[in-house]
Amino acid sequence: MNEVFFILTPNYLALDHAGPAEAMRIAIDEGARLRLHTVGPAAECVSSLGLVSHVAPLPEKLPKHALLVLVGTVDEDRDYSTAPAQQLVAWLAQSVRADTRIACICSGALLAAMAGLLNGRRCTTHHALTSKLAALAPGARVEQDRIFVEDGPIATSAGITAGIDLALWLIEQQAGAALAARVARRMVVYARRDGTAAQLSPFMAHRNHLNPALHKAQDLIAADPAQHWTLSNLAERVHISERHLCRLFRTHTASSVVAYRQALQIEVARDRLALGATVETAAEAAGFGSARTLRRVWKQIVGGTPAKR
């Protein structure tokens, strides 16, 4: 039986806790030999949503091969300067064993850094906090734009929902890929991302502008990347000239219509490959026309070659 301790601090992010915890609970329901505990330095913790959690004290001694899950918080500067958070940092520095595994969700990585647990290790966190993490753990290698990073017994994840991806990965390690896949299916997380995936999907990239015509063009492409979108029919659909549409793409995406669409096509193909499709089938689903074309564009955008994962 593997003991899993979810560690909460006051003002913790509700989804940072609930997402991974539900994944673990479903894993237990599916047959994983896990036992969950909710602990913390304060007997009562209020979450980001105002939910009150009554937690057990931090254990005086950790069992062998325990997994500690450090849950993120709303305001790191404020929340991690409180007495309970500082108590937790001191407890981590003193209590973690050589065989203890640690999983940090979002800003939970900052707690591990404050306890000196990340020195010499690769790690990540929410993209808005990577500079802060690097300052707290100058001996660590902070990796940008990663869903999660595992280095030895310590795994760190990006913001909020990425904790579910990390939890599924940990479940796979503890109970096997088949059981983890059943958990993902029950959670309707079919295309589980791995640690190499970027935090920002191409479907969400280059959308922080205010131009309605470009947003509409991007929406059309995103709704069906496999369709053969020509510059003329796309410009006609958004009621602007081809020249103006090209200018908008260059200004706000630093790419062309073709390059923007190809990035989304690659993401569609990547998802199909993750679900077990062949390169040929993935190419067809993404609208590349042939596996040869997919390989050529993949090499240009991603590097290397596509393969079933």
Side-chain angles (χ1 to χ4, degrees):
M1 185 69 68
N2 293 301
E3 309 291 338
V4 181
F5 295 86
F6 283 88
I7 302 178
L8 307 184
T9 53
N11 212 30
Y12 70 93
L13 275 169
L15 188 54
D16 275 10
H17 175 222
E22 277 297 321
M24 297 277 186
R25 182 194 64 78
I26 295 171
I28 293 170
D29 195 36
E30 291 288 340
R33 291 180 55 78
L34 304 172
R35 183 158 48 210
L36 308 186
H37 309 269
T38 304
V39 302
E44 187 175 278
C45 284
V46 180
S47 77
S48 57
L49 297 179
L51 304 173
V52 179
S53 294
H54 300 280
V55 301
L58 296 168
E60 293 184 7
K61 183 178 180 181
L62 288 171
K64 291 182 179 180
H65 307 294
L67 170 62
L68 308 182
V69 183
L70 301 179
V71 174
T73 193
V74 174
D75 185 329
E76 299 78 25
D77 291 334
R78 179 194 65 199
D79 299 335
Y80 289 163
S81 65
T82 63
Q86 292 299 312
Q87 180 187 341
L88 171 57
V89 169
W91 178 85
L92 288 169
Q94 297 172 1
S95 302
V96 170
R97 302 162 42 113
D99 60 2
T100 301
R101 300 194 65 193
I102 299 173
C104 304
I105 312 300
C106 194
S107 59
L110 302 183
L111 292 169
M114 292 162 68
L117 301 176
L118 298 182
N119 290 330
R121 299 192 182 277
R122 297 165 48 247
C123 56
T124 195
T125 187
H126 188 280
H127 56 79
L129 299 173
T130 51
S131 295
K132 189 182 296 290
L133 180 60
L136 288 171
R141 176 183 163 190
V142 180
E143 299 199 356
Q144 305 278 345
D145 199 27
R146 286 290 175 265
I147 294 299
F148 64 83
V149 172
E150 185 178 41
D151 189 338
I154 300 181
T156 49
S157 77
I160 308 179
T161 60
I164 297 174
D165 298 288
L166 177 55
L168 290 168
W169 174 253
L170 295 171
I171 291 167
E172 181 174 321
Q173 291 182 325
Q174 296 277 351
L179 189 143
R182 294 200 301 272
V183 174
R185 186 171 295 277
R186 282 183 57 175
M187 296 184 75
V188 200
V189 184
Y190 295 118
R192 179 170 57 86
R193 301 171 291 184
D194 64 20
T196 65
Q199 291 187 23
L200 188 61
S201 163
F203 283 87
M204 299 175 64
H206 307 300
R207 301 304 296 259
N208 59 339
H209 58 84
L210 299 176
N211 188 282
L214 181 56
H215 273 305
K216 186 174 180 181
Q218 290 173 300
D219 288 342
L220 288 168
I221 298 171
D224 189 6
Q227 181 174 327
H228 180 57
W229 289 104
T230 65
L231 183 60
S232 60
N233 66 23
L234 197 59
E236 182 180 357
R237 291 285 298 274
V238 299
H239 309 294
I240 60 176
S241 69
E242 295 178 29
R243 183 178 180 180
H244 187 43
L245 181 59
C246 287
R247 185 163 53 247
L248 289 175
F249 267 93
R250 284 196 306 269
T251 300
H252 297 291
T253 75
S255 68
S256 65
V257 174
V258 171
Y260 182 82
R261 177 191 169 222
Q262 285 178 339
L264 270 58
Q265 287 179 280
I266 287 293
E267 192 71 3
V268 172
R270 192 195 298 272
D271 286 346
R272 296 300 188 278
L273 292 168
L275 291 171
T278 64
V279 175
E280 291 74 14
T281 303
E284 181 180 359
F288 281 109
S290 70
R292 181 179 180 181
T293 303
L294 170 57
R295 290 188 177 96
R296 175 176 58 78
V297 177
W298 188 288
K299 185 175 182 180
Q300 293 172 348
I301 296 178
V302 182
T305 58
K308 290 176 65 175
R309 297 188 302 168

